[in-house]
Amino acid sequence: MLPTAVSNDPLAGVAEFRDQFIRAYRFMLHARLLDERLASLYRSGKIFGGVFLGRGQEALSAGLGVCLRQGDVFAPLIRDAAGRLAFGEHMIDSIRTYLGSPLGPMRSRDGNVHRGRPKEGLLPMISHLGAMISVVNGMLMARRMQKRLGTSVGAACLGEGGTSTGAFHEALNQAGVERLPLVMVIANNQYAYSTPTNRQFACDNLVERAAGYGFDGHTVDGTDLGECLETLQKAVDNARSGRGPQMIVAPLLRLCGHGEHDDSSYIDPRLKQSELGRDCLEIAEQRLVAEGWLSGEEIGRSRSELLAAIDETISTVQRESAPNASAESWQALSTVSLRDMSSGTEMA
Amino acid sequence: MSITYLDAIREAQDRALKDDPRVFIYGQDVGAFGGAFKATKNLAAKYPGRVIDAPISEDAMVGAAIGAAIEGMRPIIEMQFADFSTVGFNQMVNHAATLYWRTGVPCPITIRLPSGGTSGGGPFHSQSLETIYAHFPGIVVMTPATVEDAYGMLLSAVAIDDPVIFCEHKYLYYHLKASSLPTESLPIGKARIARQGRDLTVVTYSAMVHECLAAAEVARDEGYEVEIVDLRTIKPLDTDTVVASVARTGRLLCVGEAWPWGGVSAEVIARVTAEAFDLLDAPPQRLNAKDTPVPYHPNLWAAHRPTAQSVAQSMLRLLRL
Ligand SMILES: Cc1ncc(C[n+]2csc(CCOP(=O)(O)OP(=O)(O)O)c2C)c(N)n1
């Protein structure tokens, strides 16, 4: 499917789409390879907590990331390694956070997917599903009050399970009331941990909720990068141009466990065989080759270059020293004069 | 001129809005209506676009405040009643409270909780929830007891770079009056000696300061001088001022309107016993609300929470030990 042309020259539109597709594909590949390396570190016991992969969701995630630009707000979730890279997160932030390096953005205090750089518009998720959306709203509201919203947008990601929270409902209603440039991306990967969709919600398609919140609703095949790019670009453009909040629902299948500890034996084999179970990375590669945009050799070269860069970054981080508990401030307040020096943790 | 505790809260917000363009107020009915208690009366008209009605979505209200703080604003959130803050609990204790520690980005938000009992309030419009917020690292909890502190501490709350839970007592809104607004105030985190005495230290805060002051007059009639420490902030807790007072009196009674289990009174007693056991001439005591939901009927309500009468009884019992 060809894109809606951005310029008047249809050939320029095609070239632009091709470039965006290739860019997004590289982030998908990078995320997939990084995820696989993190999974193997997990299996060899080198990671303290869990590892959560985005396998099968890279097209949607990278697609969103390349539609965003500097100055936007992005609140990724568990399975957004690809979108994060596309938004500009360096992979060393991910590796340092997984390995608990004090040099990472979370300084050993938080781990794995709970990372970000709020001042750069990349929000570090808290675990509580649905909680990030209203924070994005607040950032957009603040920018509007400060008269510097311009054409920036905020994007938030969530799984279909997270849409059952009160926080999701409150935040979407709030974005609708304030008519914010919020882009809400819902990856319906058919399972929330082990819970299938029929135990999660009762409507046919979650996008039906969009109207109730005053959002434009879009559904897109989450396994197809081309379609994801087209739909996400339209939604992001709508939000940028003041058309209010946008909801995108993308059916796909989680091609991994909930975390690497989970063998996901509960996933219905018929889903794996269905269209939903297609691997978005393979489909994107087939298209790249079919369109003549990248050759098999070029893809192979990208793969080895990315792997080398990932391995080098992992070795760098593995050489970094571990955090030192006695050097920690153990203070949760920023206001030095308000730190409670007698909090009962030590002998007076 | 006479200024109530509620006036002080409105005046402080007026001044914060006037002095600092980063300040805005967000809460249910706070706009043209001026708030359920009129704590934001006229402010929406005076500061257009900065006093904003929120949907009934406490979680999203606090979430939005966190986002606004990240973008450099200093939001004030009005909970309609402290009791409803529990719906925003997750954003407060898991998000606002952890942001600075996790990311190094401060979270300067003020959340106003109209707290405590009033006659006829019942189980869901009367709660004193300071303890549960104080339990979480990364939050400052203020409990002003005077008109002056309501004003000065609210201005400090907005100026502080950390999340502040501001527990303003509804019973004091109209009952408490001062002749003028203060021009200076004690530093945040310092307790105040509300009454000097030599025989017993009573540590309390918020509306209970006034019940304790009245009770101290009963004790005086019996020949005792009771010292009353108004904590002002319960987190941080000014242990030094408390211990210094106990050093003078040798006896400690803690009084709180909140429930007893694991509360402020328990914390104060734990600290004094650990840090100043040998200063105590008698076992430290505490008096709190009864361990039930807050009852509706005034007869039951008056018996549920500490009052001047029940505090006086506790004081005399401890003084005679
Ligand atoms: C409020 C909340 N409750 C429970 C959890 C535990 N939990 C973490 S991930 C998850 C499943 C999430 O499913 P979904 O939102 O569909 O996203 P997916 O994992 O499928 O990407 C659960 C239950 C949580 N993080 N937050």
Side-chain angles (χ1 to χ4, degrees), chain A residues 57 78-79 127-129 159-162 189 191-193 254 258:
Chain A
Q57 303 191 190
I78 320 175
R79 310 194 191 282
S127 295
H128 303 69
L129 296 168
E160 85 289 351
N189 65 10
Y191 290 87
Y193 208 151
R254 195 183 72 210
H258 171 64

Side-chain angles (χ1 to χ4, degrees), chain A residues 43-54:
Chain A
R43 285 192 294 273
S44 56
K46 301 252 167 58
I47 288 180
F48 303 102
V51 167
F52 303 90
L53 308 187

Side-chain angles (χ1 to χ4, degrees), chain A residues 107 109-110 119 125-126 128 131-132 134-135 138-139 143 146 148 170 174 332-335 338 340 342 348, chain B residues 26 57-60 63-64 67 70-71 73 90-91 94-95 100-102 104 138 161-162 236-237 271 275:
Chain A
R107 299 164 298 162
R109 294 177 177 185
D110 207 343
K119 287 294 180 196
M125 59 176 277
I126 66 166
H128 303 69
M132 303 312 298
S134 59
V135 179
M139 292 174 79
R143 290 172 177 202
Q146 296 160 341
R148 56 181 192 88
E170 288 194 10
Q174 179 181 54
L333 289 179
S334 75
T335 312
L338 294 181
D340 193 332
S342 165
Chain B
Y26 189 44
S57 297
E58 285 77 8
D59 181 281
I70 290 171
E71 290 296 292
M73 302 295 280
N90 184 46
Q91 293 287 8
N94 284 317
H95 213 167
Y100 170 72
W101 184 82
R102 292 170 71 234
D161 269 345
D162 290 293
L237 188 62
R271 290 183 184 211
E275 294 179 27

Side-chain angles (χ1 to χ4, degrees), chain B residues 136-155:
Chain B
F136 287 84
I139 297 182
V140 174
V141 184
M142 299 187 180
T143 50
T146 65
V147 175
E148 291 80 0
D149 271 350
Y151 181 77
M153 290 172 71
L154 184 49
L155 283 171

